[in-house]
Amino acid sequence: MLDQTTFTETVREVSEIIRTSSDPLTKEQILAYFSDMELNEEQQELVINYLLTPQKEPVQQELEEQKTEETEESGTEGMEEDKKNDKNGANLPDSRTFRLYLEELQGIPAYSEAELDKLYERLLAGEEAVIKLLADAWLLPVLNLAKELAVSKEDFEDIVQEGNVGLFIKLTELCGAGDTVGSVGEELRSAARLAMQTCILELAGEDDSESAMLGKVNLVNEARKYLAEQNGTEPTPAELADYTKMPEEELYDILRVIQKSA
């Protein structure tokens, strides 16, 4: 059985290697990082497709502004809130990686709510082929979630990337989960948002400013809500610490802050 934690960390590590490497990694080099895991051929293909997607050729520089406007206009059908958020005019970065992200948005088909629901059903039924389709369909919503978090221009790309990794991991977890899952859309949104909030805290380091503390409080509150909905019971501190990757001692401090403000 695939160790989800190890798989998650490996995807993140390889994603960062690809992002920072001056030379593109081959498929064989990427799969070598997963050699200790029992991935079947379809799973290997999913990982390769996901990790190599950003390696497409960039669009022409002079078309970038036009493409950004088109991205904001198109969106994904059935996700009206995301389309509204996409028009907020966030202070977005202008880098090759981000231009590739905007370029990729142009080739994604618009799904209606009914079509997304059918893809979710296929995912829950165990059809791994829809993982890539859904990961692509959620590129714009993840972008808008990052805007909602008011991420700085310097950190924006890292946060968006982390949100997509969190989304991809959640898709692999939900594949074959059957009727035990309530709203797949909410599960995906929560996973992407939590991954981005966790990354924001990591980038903040040991900063004890008021904003950093507020971010940690929000992270723990969202984790509590998510785990309560997932398990049907209030999560224990140990479960929260495991889910948020936060040291238990620090988590207890955050819980005390939450309790005092309640």
Side-chain angles (χ1 to χ4, degrees), residues 75-79 108-116 119 133-134 136-137:
T76 300
E77 246 181 80
M79 296 182 178
I108 298 173
Y111 293 102
S112 66
E113 289 187 13
E115 289 171 331
L116 283 172
L119 288 177
L133 296 177
L134 287 170
D136 287 345

Side-chain angles (χ1 to χ4, degrees), residues 163-178:
N164 281 313
V165 171
L167 179 82
F168 179 75
I169 298 303
K170 176 55 64 175
L171 284 168
T172 63
E173 291 177 359
L174 294 177
C175 188

Side-chain angles (χ1 to χ4, degrees), residues 4-19 34 46-47 49-54 97 101 104 131 134-136 138-139 141-143 145-146 156-174 187-199 202 243 245:
Q4 199 67 48
T5 301
T6 302
F7 178 70
T8 300
E9 292 303 320
T10 304
V11 168
R12 287 174 175 165
E13 289 172 5
V14 177
S15 180
E16 180 64 16
I17 291 172
I18 291 175
R19 188 180 72 84
F34 299 86
L46 283 170
V47 170
N49 287 340
Y50 176 78
L51 291 173
L52 290 185
T53 294
T97 303
Y101 192 91
E104 187 173 1
I131 292 178
L134 287 170
D136 287 345
W138 273 81
L139 287 176
V142 168
L143 178 69
L145 281 172
F156 197 89
E157 290 181 40
D158 290 336
I159 304 302
V160 171
Q161 180 188 39
E162 194 66 18
N164 281 313
V165 171
L167 179 82
F168 179 75
I169 298 303
K170 176 55 64 175
L171 284 168
T172 63
E173 291 177 359
L174 294 177
E187 291 271 349
L188 297 177
R189 187 178 296 272
S190 295
R193 188 181 182 88
L194 187 60
M196 288 191 284
Q197 287 181 320
T198 302
C199 185
E202 291 175 352
Y243 190 76
K245 308 303 181 187

Side-chain angles (χ1 to χ4, degrees), residues 216-224 246 251 254-255 258:
K216 293 178 182 180
V217 169
N218 289 336
L219 173 63
V220 172
N221 275 330
E222 290 213 15
R224 288 175 67 183
M246 189 179 294
L251 178 65
I254 301 299
L255 290 174
I258 294 173

Side-chain angles (χ1 to χ4, degrees), residues 75-93:
T76 300
E77 246 181 80
M79 296 182 178
E80 293 300 325
E81 190 61 32
D82 289 310
K83 288 192 285 185
K84 290 178 184 177
N85 291 335
D86 197 42
K87 297 176 183 178
N88 287 342
N91 188 24
L92 303 180

